[in-house]
Amino acid sequence: MGLGWSFPAGKTISTRLGGRICRLINTMSTAAAIRSLFAPGSVTIADEQVRQENLTIAEGLKRNEAGLLDELIVRYQHRLFRYLLYLTANREMAEDLFQEVWMRVLVRGAQFNGKARFETWLFTIARNLMIDQRRKRTMSSLDELFESGSDDDRPMSFEVADDQPTPFDRFSNVEDRERIAEALLQLDTLYREVLVLRFHEELSLEEIAKVTRAPLSTVKSRLYRGLAAIKPKLEYVHLRRQETV
């Protein structure tokens, strides 16, 4: 049974992720792609603006600024829910965790110091809450959870609203989009999570390491293995699209 749930209604959640990975695969080998992803970035004006924005959010949360939480929910709700859906592959659990995450932000917002991006902190909360919930079911760690297969890991389709166009929009065929979403959900959850955080949420490798509490080398390994696993599936989608042009 698929996750036929929308938030409130919109594009398939894998659109941006599929587009970025497809471009990567179409332009270079996997090894070259990985090297480009690991290259250190430089501080830009945009980076400084983001830093100032995160500091402003941190100050606002410390002061319990009126209306700030509502603004943050409006801004990050779709991204957070997409992440939870991909992380859990379970609609009901994602919905419950979504509510819990924002309650945690409300209660512990003063703990955000603005040194990291707000979304990095938000996704860390989401991941930790998911681990806590699973531990109540006798699972001791996320890695142990992901090693245990269940019906929740089966391929499915689900939608989340997104008003912004994504690179994946070039795949206008619904069947292609569904095939890519299915390919993502067939990956091991640890690999899928890193791919989603890197390509869809555009987190840096260092930020992903903070969210997952994994060494940077482990994050790189999971990214490499995830790209290698999904590459033939996305190449097939690209070839099919070329044949119809």
Side-chain angles (χ1 to χ4, degrees):
M1 180 179 177
L3 293 184
W5 190 85
S6 58
F7 191 72
K11 301 174 184 176
T12 305
I13 66 172
S14 60
T15 56
R16 180 172 301 175
L17 178 60
R20 295 199 64 186
I21 295 178
C22 284
R23 288 205 311 276
L24 196 66
I25 289 172
N26 293 338
T27 57
M28 61 183 75
S29 67
T30 299
I34 293 296
R35 285 195 296 271
S36 71
L37 291 172
F38 295 164
S42 57
V43 177
T44 64
I45 294 177
D47 293 331
E48 179 60 23
Q49 290 174 339
V50 169
R51 190 182 74 83
Q52 291 296 330
E53 180 180 348
N54 287 314
L55 290 173
T56 300
I57 292 174
E59 288 300 317
L61 289 173
K62 285 182 174 62
R63 295 194 306 267
N64 291 319
E65 184 176 310
L68 177 58
L69 183 62
D70 290 339
E71 293 178 10
L72 293 173
I73 291 175
V74 169
R75 180 171 180 177
Y76 292 101
Q77 59 185 338
H78 303 304
R79 295 179 61 186
L80 173 62
F81 195 73
R82 279 193 295 258
Y83 173 64
L84 288 169
L85 280 174
Y86 268 122
L87 187 63
T88 64
N90 182 289
R91 181 188 66 183
E92 184 177 356
M93 183 182 295
E95 290 174 342
D96 291 343
L97 288 171
F98 179 83
Q99 300 295 331
E100 290 186 42
V101 169
W102 290 114
M103 286 299 299
R104 187 65 58 88
V105 172
L106 176 64
V107 173
R108 302 186 181 179
Q111 295 179 3
F112 177 60
N113 58 23
K115 293 181 179 179
R117 288 202 291 176
F118 177 76
E119 54 263 48
T120 302
W121 186 66
L122 189 68
F123 294 146
T124 302
I125 292 175
R127 195 178 200 270
N128 290 340
L129 284 173
M130 196 277 277
I131 293 174
D132 290 342
Q133 187 175 107
R134 290 290 189 167
R135 279 175 176 164
K136 295 176 183 178
R137 303 180 185 182
T138 73
M139 292 295 187
S140 62
S141 71
L142 191 61
D143 294 288
E144 181 182 352
L145 160 67
F146 291 162
E147 290 170 1
S148 303
S150 69
D151 288 342
D152 290 345
D153 294 324
R154 64 188 182 278
M156 63 196 73
S157 60
F158 37 73
E159 295 183 343
V160 176
D162 188 347
D163 296 331
Q164 300 300 319
T166 71
F168 186 56
D169 287 340
R170 68 190 181 95
F171 291 96
S172 58
N173 186 287
V174 174
E175 182 180 351
D176 286 348
R177 294 200 297 268
E178 291 178 349
R179 192 180 299 275
I180 290 176
E182 180 178 339
L184 286 167
L185 289 165
Q186 287 174 345
L187 295 180
D188 289 344
T189 312
L190 288 172
Y191 303 153
R192 182 170 72 234
E193 179 187 27
V194 172
L195 288 176
V196 169
L197 289 175
R198 182 68 184 97
F199 292 102
H200 194 106
E201 304 305 338
E202 300 183 352
L203 267 61
S204 68
L205 297 177
E206 291 77 11
E207 289 171 328
I208 295 173
K210 291 179 181 178
V211 171
T212 60
R213 294 186 177 180
L216 186 59
S217 59
T218 299
V219 172
K220 292 179 179 180
S221 175
R222 290 175 184 173
L223 181 61
Y224 182 89
R225 291 176 182 272
L227 281 172
I230 203 171
K231 178 180 178 180
K233 296 178 176 63
L234 294 185
E235 284 181 335
Y236 174 73
V237 172
H238 182 67
L239 288 174
R240 287 186 70 256
R241 173 140 172 75
Q242 284 186 322
E243 290 173 358
T244 61
V245 174

